[in-house]
Amino acid sequence: MISKCFISLSILLLSICGLAQKKRSDVFHADYLYGRIMRHSPQILHLIQGPTHGILFSWERKTYGDKDWQQLYNYPSYGASLLIQDMGSPELGRVYSLHGEYRFFFWERKLSLKAGLGAGYIPNTYDPETNPKNTAYGSALTASIIFGLEYRFENIFDLPLDLKFGGFLVHYSNGKTKSPNTSTNNYGLQAGLSYKLSEAERAYKTSILEPVSTSWSWDIIAASGANDSGIWGEANEAFLTLTTSVNKRLSHRSRLNLGLDAFFTPSVKTFIQYRASAFPEEDQFQGDEDWRRVGLFLGHELYLGQWSVISQVGYYVYYPIEYLDREYIRVGLRRYITDKFYVSLMLKSHYSKAEAIEYGIGLRL
């Protein structure tokens, strides 16, 4: 069924593209995805029943170096995509997701690496009565991260049509906003067609970039959101994360950060109280332990114009109880409103176990 839908929608998409006026350097893609779910947790083994199938429709707009940062990355493109995936088991069902994407090009622009971030909708979530086996998806809304590596055979049949194939990785997780949230990592192969709507051929712009200041700076960040304790059926609780860091700009592309986090997470307090009352014989928790944590982290910021990609590795220096792992990871995006003020979206995890999605605001001094 999903293969027939892919073929029909591909023909419709290419027909629409063929009738459109060639005013912009845009590309439209239609891909078929075949894959598997990674066995990253024993809690989802019963859900891995068959291969996954998907259709992916994408829009891509080329850049030509009108902005300086585009020249630094070999003129990447940006766009959006719609992904419809059958996850291979009746318990998981289908996932519908939308992404914003960037593509980076190599090997005479025939090879591209795609990275996208978005949100997904899951109709068939966990339900204690109707779907008790779905330990992967506890909420109808989920974050979606997609990566793809593609090779294109350009202008087949002397038409503005490309044939492409490659591999993909898709991650679905709600960031522990509602348990269960074992999440899924789906990987596999993809193949498809691209139709190019091109204006008159444009030259890629090159210019000498102005030197960037490599001075030190200081950031103050406040972030919040809501998560649960990992106990099924518990309500979300709002949390607060306060961060300060010193930063060293290295180049036009990157900056290093060394910082300190203070985590005020009431769901940890709920976890302590639950364990103390439900498993008193273990004598692991008394119920009145401190639920706050402090972490030291090392991070990197990769600049893409007014956007940047954040990656951080941290270690709790104040860790009063055993909760998840002592090491933590944060990855996400930052959007600069001005040179000194920005907003951010970050996913905090402990290896494969997500803890929170953080929405933050920051000031650089």
Side-chain angles (χ1 to χ4, degrees):
M1 177 63 71
I2 201 164
S3 299
K4 293 180 180 178
C5 181
F6 168 74
I7 294 172
S8 300
L9 289 175
S10 298
I11 294 173
L12 177 61
L13 177 64
L14 295 177
S15 299
I16 293 172
C17 293
L19 294 173
Q21 288 185 330
K22 300 179 180 181
K23 292 184 177 180
R24 293 186 180 274
S25 298
D26 291 349
V27 184
F28 294 88
H29 308 269
D31 293 87
Y32 173 73
L33 281 62
Y34 178 89
R36 296 281 181 178
I37 296 176
M38 289 183 183
R39 299 172 179 265
H40 73 276
S41 170
Q43 297 181 11
I44 66 167
L45 294 182
H46 63 286
L47 298 173
I48 305 175
Q49 300 176 15
T52 63
H53 303 271
I55 52 176
L56 178 66
F57 296 100
S58 310
W59 159 74
E60 172 191 351
R61 176 160 292 175
K62 299 179 181 179
T63 65
Y64 292 91
D66 296 324
K67 297 181 180 179
D68 290 346
W69 73 269
Q70 297 168 357
Q71 301 176 36
L72 290 170
Y73 295 96
N74 193 30
Y75 313 98
S77 62
Y78 62 91
S81 67
L82 166 66
L83 173 60
I84 305 171
Q85 271 195 303
D86 185 326
M87 302 305 292
S89 74
E91 291 83 7
L92 294 177
R94 290 185 178 179
V95 182
Y96 305 82
S97 55
L98 289 169
H99 312 89
E101 299 179 341
Y102 275 105
R103 293 174 188 258
F104 301 90
F105 294 91
F106 312 91
W107 204 0
E108 298 181 346
R109 304 187 71 80
K110 294 181 179 179
L111 185 68
S112 65
L113 175 65
K114 175 180 68 177
L117 175 65
Y121 171 67
I122 303 170
N124 200 25
T125 58
Y126 166 81
D127 185 277
E129 296 182 359
T130 61
N131 196 13
K133 293 184 178 180
N134 189 353
T135 56
Y137 307 141
S139 62
L141 292 178
T142 182
S144 178
I145 302 173
I146 184 170
F147 295 97
L149 186 65
E150 302 173 354
Y151 184 87
R152 301 185 191 182
F153 295 94
E154 298 182 312
N155 301 322
I156 59 175
F157 309 119
D158 292 325
L159 297 173
L161 197 66
D162 297 345
L163 174 65
K164 60 197 183 78
F165 68 91
F168 72 90
L169 172 67
V170 183
H171 173 73
Y172 297 121
S173 172
N174 67 26
K176 208 179 176 187
T177 55
K178 188 175 182 180
S179 293
N181 180 50
T182 313
S183 74
T184 58
N185 297 295
N186 178 225
Y187 68 96
L189 300 175
Q190 68 181 81
L193 296 173
S194 302
Y195 187 92
K196 294 178 287 190
L197 283 174
S198 300
E199 59 186 8
E201 193 68 27
R202 289 183 58 186
Y204 291 105
K205 181 180 178 181
T206 59
S207 60
I208 299 176
L209 302 183
E210 294 293 330
V212 65
S213 173
T214 57
S215 60
W216 291 83
S217 61
W218 176 38
D219 282 15
I220 302 174
I221 307 166
S224 186
N227 66 352
D228 66 23
S229 60
I231 303 167
W232 296 11
E234 287 289 336
N236 288 355
E237 298 181 80
F239 62 82
L240 175 66
T241 302
L242 300 177
T243 301
T244 184
S245 68
V246 291
N247 320 292
K248 174 64 174 176
R249 187 71 182 255
L250 301 179
S251 65
H252 287 90
R253 293 185 178 92
S254 63
R255 183 189 301 266
L256 288 180
N257 324 107
L258 177 64
L260 196 68
D261 293 312
F263 300 102
F264 304 91
T265 313
S267 61
V268 179
K269 182 178 180 180
T270 300
F271 174 81
I272 294 170
Q273 294 173 343
Y274 169 78
R275 296 289 298 184
S277 61
F279 303 98
E281 69 280 0
E282 293 186 3
D283 200 30
Q284 185 177 2
F285 296 108
Q286 301 300 315
D288 58 353
E289 288 88 350
D290 192 355
W291 47 275
R292 294 162 293 188
R293 295 164 292 169
V294 176
L296 184 67
F297 72 87
L298 178 65
H300 180 264
E301 185 170 4
L302 181 69
Y303 286 91
L304 300 168
Q306 293 179 302
W307 293 87
S308 65
V309 179
I310 307 297
S311 55
Q312 299 172 352
V313 177
Y315 182 83
Y316 294 117
V317 292
Y318 179 67
Y319 185 65
I321 66 156
E322 291 284 339
Y323 181 73
L324 299 176
D325 296 290
R326 193 155 187 170
E327 303 82 17
Y328 62 93
I329 301 167
R330 280 208 299 246
V331 294
L333 294 175
R334 184 174 288 175
R335 175 63 162 84
Y336 283 87
I337 309 302
T338 69
D339 292 340
K340 303 294 184 181
F341 178 71
Y342 54 83
V343 295
S344 63
L345 173 65
M346 305 285 286
L347 173 64
K348 181 190 177 190
S349 68
H350 299 260
Y351 301 107
S352 63
K353 299 177 182 178
E355 183 184 350
I357 296 176
E358 301 177 344
Y359 304 88
I361 55 174
L363 181 66
R364 178 157 296 159
L365 304 175

